[in-house]
């Protein structure tokens, strides 16, 4: 019996050692696999993190670019609004001129816009009421003086010479048809300035049209005055 027990004991001991070895090997294999997966998981996590950082950076760059674009648009809109207000203020300043200066301005515009000197002069309702007749009268004087022959200075400086010069200017206007502008019964909804009409043809010298024609030319100058820091 002792021999059998010894054999059984040896077998049990060997089995226990083999089981321990198998268990140790299994643990080692498990640790190795676990380490490999940890390494892979760490690498994957790093890749995901780097990709996330790149995506976040790209998203931030897009948002910054979009914000800058919107800021430029807003700034441009403000500038355009201020330039527009400057032109509107110019119209207001023209309207605020002293009446004599304003009448002379309209008369000069009418004389410059006249092609034959026989057109009708159309004004705004307000201008026609307050200075229409004076504007046409003065414009005709300008046209007569520009077109009529000039007397020698020694004659024109005398009272008789001045009277003769007026007669000559009047006669020249009748003969040539210049200086015969007439005030139209009609008016136009304009802020100021004049419109000359001959048949179906019109010459528009209203303040709105004149400023619009000059707008592209002087808008940069107006902007430079409004925003001097950007003009440097």
């Amino acid at each position: 019996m002792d021999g059998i027990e010894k054999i059984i004991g040896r077998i049990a001991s060997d089995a226990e050692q083999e089981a321990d070895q198998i268990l140790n090997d299994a643990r080692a294999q498990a640790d190795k696999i676990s380490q490999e997966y940890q390494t892979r998981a760490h690498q994957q996590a790093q890749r995901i993190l780097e990709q996330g950082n790149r995506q976040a950076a790209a998203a931030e760059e897009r948002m910054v670019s979009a914000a800058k674009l919107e800021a430029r648009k807003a700034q441009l809109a403000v500038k355009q609004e201020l330039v527009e207000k400057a032109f509107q203020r110019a119209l207001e300043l023209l309207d605020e001129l002293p009446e004599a200066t304003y009448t002379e301005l309209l008369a000069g515009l009418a004389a410059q816009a006249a092609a034959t000197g026989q057109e009708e002069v159309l004004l705004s309702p307000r201008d026609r009421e307050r200075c229409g007749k004076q504007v046409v009268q003065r414009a005709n004087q300008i046209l007569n003086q520009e077109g009529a022959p000039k007397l020698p200075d020694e004659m024109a400086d005398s009272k008789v010479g001045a009277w003769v010069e007026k007669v000559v200017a009047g006669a020249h206007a009748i003969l040539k048809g210049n200086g015969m502008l007439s005030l139209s019964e009609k008016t136009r909804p304009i802020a100021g300035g004049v419109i000359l009409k001959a048949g179906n043809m019109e010459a528009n010298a209203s303040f709105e049209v004149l400023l619009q024609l000059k707008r592209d030319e002087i808008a940069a100058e107006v902007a430079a005055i409004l925003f001097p820091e950007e003009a440097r």
Side-chain angles (χ1 to χ4, degrees), residues 129-190:
E129 180 67 24
R130 70 170 177 169
C131 60
K133 293 180 180 178
Q134 296 92 319
V135 168
V136 172
Q137 181 181 8
R138 178 58 183 145
N140 282 331
Q141 288 178 353
I142 295 172
L143 290 173
N144 292 339
Q145 292 169 357
E146 290 177 350
K150 301 297 182 183
L151 294 177
D153 291 341
E154 58 271 16
M155 291 183 62
D157 290 340
S158 65
K159 291 183 178 180
V160 175
W163 178 79
V164 171
E165 194 167 59
K166 288 182 179 180
V167 173
V168 171
H172 182 271
I174 294 173
L175 291 173
K176 297 294 186 181
N178 293 327
M180 297 178 67
L181 299 175
S182 60
L183 180 62
S184 175
E185 295 293 331
K186 299 178 180 179
T187 59
R188 290 291 175 82
I190 56 177

Side-chain angles (χ1 to χ4, degrees), residues 105-107 109-115 118-125 127 135-136 181-210:
L105 173 61
L106 295 191
L109 290 175
Q112 290 177 5
Q118 301 180 53
E119 294 92 343
E120 285 184 290
V121 179
L122 288 83
L123 303 170
S124 70
D127 287 347
V135 168
V136 172
L181 299 175
S182 60
L183 180 62
S184 175
E185 295 293 331
K186 299 178 180 179
T187 59
R188 290 291 175 82
I190 56 177
V194 300
I195 296 175
L196 268 61
K197 189 175 189 307
N200 295 325
M201 302 295 294
E202 289 189 358
N204 193 326
S206 64
F207 291 158
E208 298 98 313
V209 169
L210 294 177

Side-chain angles (χ1 to χ4, degrees), residues 17-232:
Q17 290 179 359
E18 185 176 355
D20 289 340
Q21 183 63 42
I22 292 172
L23 182 59
N24 290 335
D25 290 344
R27 287 173 178 171
Q29 185 68 19
D31 289 341
K32 181 179 180 182
I33 293 173
S34 176
Q35 185 63 38
E36 289 179 354
Y37 274 99
Q38 286 181 1
T39 302
R40 291 179 185 178
H42 179 72
Q43 292 174 345
Q44 183 69 14
Q46 284 296 111
R47 285 195 294 270
I48 293 173
L49 180 60
E50 291 173 0
Q51 183 178 7
N53 288 336
R54 287 195 298 269
Q55 291 176 343
E60 181 182 7
E61 185 176 353
R62 287 194 299 271
M63 288 188 290
V64 170
S65 297
K68 288 181 179 179
L69 179 60
E70 289 302 317
R72 285 196 295 270
K73 288 181 179 179
Q75 187 180 37
L76 179 60
V78 170
K79 287 182 180 180
Q80 290 174 338
E81 182 180 357
L82 290 176
V83 170
E84 181 61 31
K85 286 183 178 180
F87 278 98
Q88 290 299 322
R89 182 55 183 156
L91 286 175
E92 294 173 3
L93 290 174
L94 287 170
D95 188 60
E96 294 170 5
L97 289 172
E99 187 169 334
T101 305
Y102 188 79
T103 299
E104 187 71 17
L105 173 61
L106 295 191
L109 290 175
Q112 290 177 5
T116 66
Q118 301 180 53
E119 294 92 343
E120 285 184 290
V121 179
L122 288 83
L123 303 170
S124 70
R126 178 170 173 267
D127 287 347
R128 189 185 188 285
E129 180 67 24
R130 70 170 177 169
C131 60
K133 293 180 180 178
Q134 296 92 319
V135 168
V136 172
Q137 181 181 8
R138 178 58 183 145
N140 282 331
Q141 288 178 353
I142 295 172
L143 290 173
N144 292 339
Q145 292 169 357
E146 290 177 350
K150 301 297 182 183
L151 294 177
D153 291 341
E154 58 271 16
M155 291 183 62
D157 290 340
S158 65
K159 291 183 178 180
V160 175
W163 178 79
V164 171
E165 194 167 59
K166 288 182 179 180
V167 173
V168 171
H172 182 271
I174 294 173
L175 291 173
K176 297 294 186 181
N178 293 327
M180 297 178 67
L181 299 175
S182 60
L183 180 62
S184 175
E185 295 293 331
K186 299 178 180 179
T187 59
R188 290 291 175 82
I190 56 177
V194 300
I195 296 175
L196 268 61
K197 189 175 189 307
N200 295 325
M201 302 295 294
E202 289 189 358
N204 193 326
S206 64
F207 291 158
E208 298 98 313
V209 169
L210 294 177
L211 281 176
Q212 187 61 40
L213 291 174
K214 297 289 290 182
R215 188 184 185 90
D216 292 340
E217 181 180 336
I218 65 175
E221 297 178 19
V222 173
I225 294 172
L226 293 174
F227 313 107
E229 67 282 355
E230 296 186 9
R232 296 179 187 140

